[in-house]
C-alpha cells in the first residue's frame, strides 16, 4: 500500500483490521524539532493492544509522554528511528523487552507518510527461541565432535568429506581443513580405500546403519565403525555419516588374553596341578579341569563353592589352613604356602601342597585369591618311609655302639694284661699290639656311632668347667704322635686360652680335626694348630697343606656320613664312618660356638673354630632307645 493511502480514516480503519499483525498509527508533529518523539498516538488495533499491555490508554498521548512510562531505552529507540526516517520512508527492526523471566521479541516494520506513521508489530519470540535452541544445539554438536576421541565424519554421495572432527583428522596426520573436500582415494592406500568404499556401498544398499570392524593401514590398525545414510527434508539420501573407534590396542590385549588363557590351560594340564580362583566380592570360586583328574571328583555346575572346598579339608587341618589364609589376607603379604590333607572321591585323603597369591585393590584390601594344589602324597609317604628307616638305623647304631662297649673293653684289658708277660716272643707281642690298635679303632668308631645318635636326637651333652685349652691341645698332639710317628704338628698360642668348656669334648674335637688333617694333608708339610684370643672370644684354626677339597663338597662337609678331602694318603686309623666332622660341628654348637672351613690350592685346608669364653649350661639330653 502506498503512503498516500494513510491519509483518510477509512484507510486507517481497514489497515487496523488486519490480523494477526499489531498496528499502531501515529500522527507526526510536523514542524516540531522531533516529529516522531512529539507525534500523537492516534490508534492501535486489538492485536497491538494485546502485544503491548496498557496501549489502550495511549490514545491522544504524545510519544514523548509514553516514553516517560517506558523508560530511557524506549526514548533512545524513538530518537534513533526519527533520525533514520529523515533519509528513508520505512525501516524494519526487532524490539525486545522482558516480562518476568522471559524476553519478548517483536519485529517492528515502520512505514512513514506525509502526516502519519504506521508501526506494524509481529511477535517473533517463538521464532527467536527456536533459532536460539538451534544455535545451542549446533554449538553443542560442534563441541561434542571436536572433543570426541572417536573419529566422526560425514561424506557426500561422491565420497568427499564434508565433515571430520580433529580426532579423525589426527589419525590421518592432517588437520580437519586438509581433509574436507577430499576422498578416501586421496587419503588412503588403494587397497584400504577400496575396502572402505565397499563397506560404504553396503551401507547404502542396506539403507540403515551398520557396525563392523574395519582394518586400515595394511591391516596394522583395527577400527570399530558405525556408518549410516544422511537424508534431506524430502527423505532423499544426500550422503553418509560415520563414527569410528580405534580398537587396535583392545584387539591386541584380547589376543594376548586368549594366548595367556591357552598357556594357562596347557600349563595346568602339563603340571597336573589343580588351580582355583575365588572372587571375594562375589564369593564365586572356579576350578581348573584337572580337579576331577587329580582327586576323582569335581563339583557340579554351580556348586564350585568355598564351602565345597572347605568341607573336603581334613578336619584336623581345617583350622590351620583357614588361619593361614586369614593371616595373609589381614597382613601385607601377597602370597602363602601350606600343606594339608584333601579328601578324594574314594574317601581317602591326599596330601596337597598349596601355593597361593592374593590380588589386592588400590586400598590394599584383598579382592581375589588364586592358588594351585599339588598332590604330594607320594613324596610325603617317601619322606615318612625315609624318616622311619633313619630312626631304625639310629636305634640299631645306638644299640650296637652301646653293646660293643663291654666286649671291647674286655678285649683291650686282656690285650694289655697279656702284653705285660715277660716270656712273649716278638711275634706274639706284635699280634697283641695289633689287637690293641684294632680295639682302639673299633672303640673310636663305637663312640662316633653313639655320639652320632645323640646328636641326631637332641644334641650332644657337655659338662663345662674351668680349663685351659693349650694343655689339652698339647695332650691331643702327643696322643696322635704315637699313631702318626714322624709327622709334625706345630702349636701356636697367643693371649688368653682359658675358659669354661668341656675338656674331654674339646679334646675329641681336636682329635677329629687333627686326625683329619694328618690323614689328608701332605706329609712333607707340618700341620699348624693356632690358638688366639679375639675380643674375648677363643679362636682356633687347624691348617694342612695338600690338595683342596672339592668346592661342590664344601657345603655338605659337616653333614653325617660324609667323607671329605678325597682319598686318604695316610690312614693308620683305618678311616672312619663319615661322622667325625658332623660330631665336631655338634660339639662346637653345644659350646655355643661355630665352625667353618675354607680350602684352596695355595693356602691348603683350614678348619676355623669360634668359641665363646664360657659355654652355656647343659640341657637334659634324651636317652637313645
Amino acid at each position: 500500500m502506498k503512503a498516500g493511502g494513510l491519509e483518510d480514516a477509512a484507510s486507517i480503519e481497514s489497515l487496523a483490521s488486519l490480523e494477526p499483525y499489531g498496528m499502531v498509527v501515529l500522527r507526526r508533529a510536523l514542524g516540531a524539532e522531533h516529529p516522531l518523539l512529539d507525534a500523537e498516538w492516534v490508534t492501535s488495533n486489538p492485536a497491538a493492544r494485546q502485544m503491548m499491555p496498557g496501549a489502550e490508554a495511549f490514545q491522544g498521548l504524545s510519544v514523548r509522554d509514553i516514553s516517560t512510562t517506558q523508560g530511557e531505552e524506549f526514548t533512545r529507540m524513538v530518537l534513533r528511528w526519527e533520525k533514520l526516517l529523515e533519509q528513508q520512508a520505512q525501516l524494519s527492526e526487532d524490539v525486545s523487552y522482558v516480562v518476568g523471566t522471559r524476553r519478548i521479541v517483536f519485529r517492528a516494520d515502520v512505514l512513514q507518510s506525509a502526516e502519519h506513521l504506521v508501526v506494524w508489530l509481529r511477535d517473533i519470540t517463538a521464532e527467536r527461541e527456536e533459532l536460539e535452541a538451534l544455535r545451542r544445539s549446533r554449538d553443542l554438536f560442534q563441541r561434542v565432535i571436536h572433543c570426541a576421541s572417536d573419529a566422526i565424519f560425514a561424506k557426500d554421495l561422491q565420497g568427499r568429506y564434508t565433515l571430520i572432527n580433529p580426532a579423525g583428522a589426527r589419525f590421518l596426520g592432517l588437520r580437519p581443513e586438509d581433509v574436507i573436500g577430499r576422498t578416501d582415494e586421496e587419503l588412503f592406500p588403494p587397497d584400504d580405500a577400496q575396502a572402505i568404499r565397499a563397506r560404504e556401498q553396503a551401507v547404502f544398499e542396506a539403507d540403515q546403519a551398520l557396525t563392523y570392524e574395519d582394518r586400515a593401514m595394511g591391516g596394522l590398525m583395527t577400527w570399530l565403525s558405525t556408518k549410516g545414510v544422511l537424508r534431506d527434508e524430502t527423505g532423499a539420501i544426500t550422503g553418509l555419516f560415520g563414527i569410528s573407534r580405534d580398537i587396535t590396542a583392545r584387539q591386541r590385549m584380547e589376543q594376548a588374553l586368549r594366548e595367556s588363557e591357552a598357556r594357562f590351560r596347557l600349563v595346568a594340564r602339563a603340571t597336573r596341578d589343580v588351580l582355583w580362583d575365588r572372587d571375594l566380592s562375589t564369593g564365586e570360586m572356579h576350578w581348573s579341569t584337572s580337579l576331577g583328574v587329580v582327586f576323582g571328583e569335581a563339583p557340579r555346575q554351580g556348586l564350585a563353592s568355598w564351602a565345597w572346598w572347605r568341607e573336603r579339608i581334613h578336619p584336623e587341618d581345617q583350622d590351620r589352613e583357614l588361619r593361614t589364609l586369614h593371616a595373609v589376607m589381614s597382613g601385607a603379604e601377597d602370597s602363602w604356602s601350606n600343606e594339608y590333607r584333601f579328601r578324594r572321591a574314594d574317601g581317602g585323603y591326599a596330601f596337597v601342597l598349596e601355593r597361593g597369591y592374593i590380588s589386592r585393590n588400590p586400598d590394599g584390601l584383598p579382592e581375589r585369591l588364586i592358588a594351585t594344589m599339588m598332590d604330594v602324597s607320594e613324596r610325603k609317604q617317601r619322606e615318612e618311609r625315609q624318616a622311619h628307616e633313619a630312626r631304625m638305623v639310629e636305634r640299631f647304631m645306638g644299640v650296637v655302639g652301646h653293646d660293643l662297649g663291654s666286649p671291647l673293653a674286655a678285649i683291650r684289658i686282656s690285650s694289655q694284661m697279656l702284653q705285660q708277660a715277660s716270656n712273649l716272643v716278638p711275634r706274639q707281642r706284635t699280634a697283641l699290639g695289633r689287637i690293641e690298635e684294632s680295639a682302639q679303632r673299633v672303640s673310636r668308631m663305637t663312640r662316633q656311632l653313639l655320639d652320632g645318635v645323640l646328636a641326631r636326637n637332641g644334641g650332644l651333652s657337655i659338662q663345662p668347667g674351668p680349663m685351659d685349652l693349650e694343655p689339652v691341645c698339647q695332650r691331643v698332639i702327643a696322643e696322635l704322635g704315637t699313631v702318626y710317628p714322624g709327622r709334625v704338628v706345630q702349636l701356636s698360642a697367643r693371649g688368653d686360652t682359658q675358659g669354661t668348656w668341656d675338656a674331654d669334648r674339646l679334646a675329641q674335637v681336636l682329635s677329629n680335626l687333627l686326625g683329619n688333617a694328618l690323614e689328608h694333608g701332605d706329609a712333607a708339610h707340618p700341620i699348624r694348630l693356632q690358638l688366639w684370643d679375639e675380643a674375648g672370644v677363643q679362636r682356633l684354626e687347624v691348617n694342612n697343606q695338600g690338595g683342596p677339597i672339592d668346592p661342590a663338597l664344601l657345603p655338605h662337609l659337616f653333614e653325617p656320613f660324609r667323607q671329605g678331602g678325597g682319598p686318604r694318603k695316610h690312614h693308620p686309623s683305618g678311616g672312619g664312618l663319615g661322622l667325625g666332622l658332623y660330631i665336631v660341628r655338634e660339639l662346637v654348637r653345644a659350646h655355643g660356638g661355630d665352625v667353618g672351613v675354607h680350602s684352596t690350592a695355595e693356602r691348603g685346608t683350614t678348619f676355623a673354630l669360634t668359641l665363646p669364653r664360657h659355654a652355656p649350661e647343659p640341657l637334659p639330653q634324651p636317652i637313645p632307645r
Side-chain angles (χ1 to χ4, degrees):
M1 180 179 290
K2 294 183 180 179
L6 295 176
E7 303 306 328
D8 57 89
S11 297
I12 294 175
E13 186 64 29
S14 63
L15 290 174
S17 64
L18 292 177
E19 297 287 352
Y21 293 98
M23 187 199 74
V24 175
V25 179
L26 303 174
R27 181 178 292 110
R28 300 173 62 202
L30 299 177
E33 182 180 359
H34 299 288
L36 180 55
L37 186 60
D38 292 327
E40 178 188 356
W41 185 290
V42 176
T43 186
S44 61
N45 70 349
R49 290 193 292 273
Q50 185 176 1
M51 295 179 191
M52 302 172 62
E56 63 274 4
F58 294 163
Q59 188 169 354
L61 298 177
S62 69
V63 173
R64 186 187 298 274
D65 295 333
I66 297 172
S67 296
T68 58
T69 63
Q70 300 299 313
E72 294 182 1
E73 184 177 355
F74 182 79
T75 302
R76 287 194 296 269
M77 181 188 70
V78 171
L79 291 174
R80 181 164 48 80
W81 285 5
E82 185 178 78
K83 188 172 183 180
L84 290 174
L85 290 172
E86 289 177 357
Q87 286 84 30
Q88 58 193 46
Q90 58 187 34
L91 63 84
S92 181
E93 189 169 306
D94 293 344
V95 180
S96 66
Y97 62 91
V98 177
V99 176
T101 59
R102 189 181 183 206
R103 178 169 290 276
I104 307 300
V105 183
F106 297 103
R107 173 66 51 80
D109 294 307
V110 182
L111 180 63
Q112 180 179 242
S113 69
E115 296 181 4
H116 294 87
L117 189 140
V118 177
V119 181
W120 298 95
L121 299 173
R122 181 165 59 91
D123 189 346
I124 60 171
T125 305
E127 180 182 334
R128 280 294 187 90
E129 289 175 346
E130 290 177 2
L131 289 174
E132 180 63 21
L134 180 62
R135 183 191 64 78
R136 288 196 300 268
S137 297
R138 184 175 62 250
D139 291 345
L140 177 61
F141 173 74
Q142 292 293 336
R143 286 196 296 270
V144 168
I145 67 169
H146 183 84
C147 298
S149 58
D150 293 341
I152 301 175
F153 56 90
K155 300 177 185 178
D156 61 19
L157 293 176
Q158 287 71 44
R160 292 186 297 263
Y161 283 88
T162 58
L163 168 72
I164 190 166
N165 67 337
R170 277 197 300 272
F171 163 68
L172 300 173
L174 300 171
R175 298 173 301 172
E177 55 265 31
D178 298 327
V179 179
I180 301 299
R182 301 173 71 179
T183 65
D184 291 321
E185 286 74 12
E186 299 175 87
L187 298 171
F188 292 97
D191 291 344
D192 292 342
Q194 184 178 359
I196 293 172
R197 296 292 285 177
R199 290 284 194 183
E200 294 177 352
Q201 184 60 37
V203 173
F204 284 122
E205 293 175 357
D207 196 14
Q208 62 180 2
L210 299 179
T211 299
Y212 54 88
E213 290 186 5
D214 196 10
R215 295 193 175 274
M217 304 300 289
L220 297 178
M221 301 189 70
T222 305
W223 292 81
L224 181 64
S225 299
T226 297
K227 294 181 181 179
V229 296
L230 294 172
R231 300 177 185 274
D232 62 13
E233 60 275 6
T234 67
I237 296 176
T238 60
L240 174 142
F241 74 89
I243 302 174
S244 296
R245 173 172 296 176
D246 183 1
I247 60 171
T248 308
R250 191 188 76 185
Q251 290 259 323
R252 291 172 180 169
M253 287 190 294
E254 289 176 350
Q255 178 63 26
L257 180 60
R258 287 192 293 270
E259 293 174 356
S260 177
E261 289 176 345
R263 285 193 296 270
F264 174 82
R265 289 191 294 270
L266 289 174
V267 169
R269 292 178 182 175
T271 61
R272 285 179 56 86
D273 288 356
V274 175
L275 290 85
W276 60 262
D277 177 0
R278 186 190 183 198
D279 188 332
L280 297 177
S281 62
T282 63
E284 293 182 356
M285 194 170 187
H286 301 280
W287 295 82
S288 63
T289 56
S290 57
L291 178 64
V293 176
V294 176
F295 299 115
E297 179 184 14
R300 297 189 302 276
Q301 186 68 26
L303 297 180
S305 65
W306 186 255
W308 185 92
W309 165 80
R310 187 177 61 244
E311 290 171 359
R312 278 153 182 78
I313 299 176
H314 194 284
E316 296 177 1
D317 300 339
Q318 276 191 18
D319 287 345
R320 175 169 50 84
E321 168 68 3
L322 296 178
R323 282 199 305 270
T324 297
L325 287 180
H326 179 73
V328 175
M329 292 169 62
S330 302
E333 297 295 329
D334 291 331
S335 60
W336 79 90
S337 178
N338 201 11
E339 288 189 7
Y340 55 87
R341 288 164 288 180
F342 193 80
R343 192 173 72 234
R344 296 191 181 99
D346 59 8
Y349 283 90
F351 280 94
V352 297
L353 171 62
E354 181 180 79
R355 295 188 180 95
Y357 174 78
I358 297 179
S359 174
R360 300 180 184 273
N361 63 20
D363 296 328
L365 299 176
E367 58 184 6
R368 189 177 180 186
L369 304 179
I370 305 171
T372 63
M373 296 167 59
M374 179 188 297
D375 187 348
V376 294
S377 301
E378 294 183 2
R379 190 200 73 188
K380 294 290 288 187
Q381 293 170 359
R382 185 170 58 252
E383 290 175 352
E384 289 179 357
R385 286 196 303 269
Q386 291 173 347
H388 176 72
E389 291 171 359
R391 288 193 297 270
M392 294 299 295
V393 170
E394 288 181 352
R395 290 178 183 178
F396 172 76
M397 290 190 301
V399 170
V400 170
H402 181 270
D403 291 350
L404 284 177
S406 296
L408 283 174
I411 292 172
R412 292 188 61 189
I413 292 172
S414 300
S415 172
Q416 292 169 3
M417 289 178 61
L418 289 174
Q419 289 184 65
Q420 294 175 4
S422 58
N423 58 345
L424 294 177
V425 299
R427 187 176 62 183
Q428 292 173 328
R429 194 172 296 280
T430 300
L432 289 172
R434 289 175 180 171
I435 292 174
E436 172 67 17
E437 181 181 337
S438 297
Q440 289 180 358
R441 181 158 56 88
V442 175
S443 295
R444 286 195 298 273
M445 294 172 64
T446 302
R447 185 176 182 182
Q448 284 190 347
L449 285 173
L450 289 172
D451 285 345
V453 172
L454 288 172
R456 293 172 65 85
N457 285 274
L460 293 167
S461 62
I462 62 171
Q463 300 297 326
M467 60 164 287
D468 191 334
L469 190 56
E470 183 178 3
V472 174
C473 293
Q474 293 170 347
R475 174 165 58 86
V476 173
I477 292 172
E479 291 175 354
L480 290 173
T482 61
V483 182
Y484 297 89
R487 297 294 299 276
V488 177
V489 179
Q490 297 176 346
L491 173 62
S492 171
R494 304 191 307 274
D496 187 10
T497 59
Q498 296 185 0
T500 304
W501 303 303
D502 187 322
D504 290 339
R505 287 301 196 181
L506 288 187
Q508 186 179 353
V509 169
L510 288 167
S511 179
N512 282 337
L513 292 179
L514 289 173
N516 189 69
L518 289 165
E519 288 184 9
H520 295 286
D522 189 344
H525 294 82
I527 306 299
R528 292 192 296 274
L529 172 58
Q530 299 184 73
L531 298 174
W532 74 94
D533 176 73
E534 185 176 278
V537 175
Q538 183 66 54
R539 299 295 302 275
L540 182 150
E541 284 188 355
V542 176
N543 172 265
N544 67 270
Q545 296 297 315
I549 300 173
D550 184 354
L553 185 61
L554 282 174
H556 309 286
L557 203 59
F558 293 98
E559 295 176 3
F561 305 109
R562 288 279 185 172
Q563 299 285 347
R568 289 173 169 80
K569 300 179 180 179
H570 317 282
H571 45 86
S573 65
L577 299 172
L579 291 170
L581 292 178
Y582 170 64
I583 293 172
V584 165
R585 184 189 67 180
E586 296 304 311
L587 287 175
V588 172
R589 286 180 174 177
H591 282 81
D594 193 17
V595 59
V597 60
H598 53 86
S599 183
T600 64
E602 297 77 13
R603 298 187 178 183
T605 299
T606 301
F607 286 86
L609 276 68
T610 302
L611 294 171
R613 192 60 62 185
H614 300 283
E617 290 296 325
L619 296 174
Q621 298 299 312
I623 300 175
R625 299 179 180 274

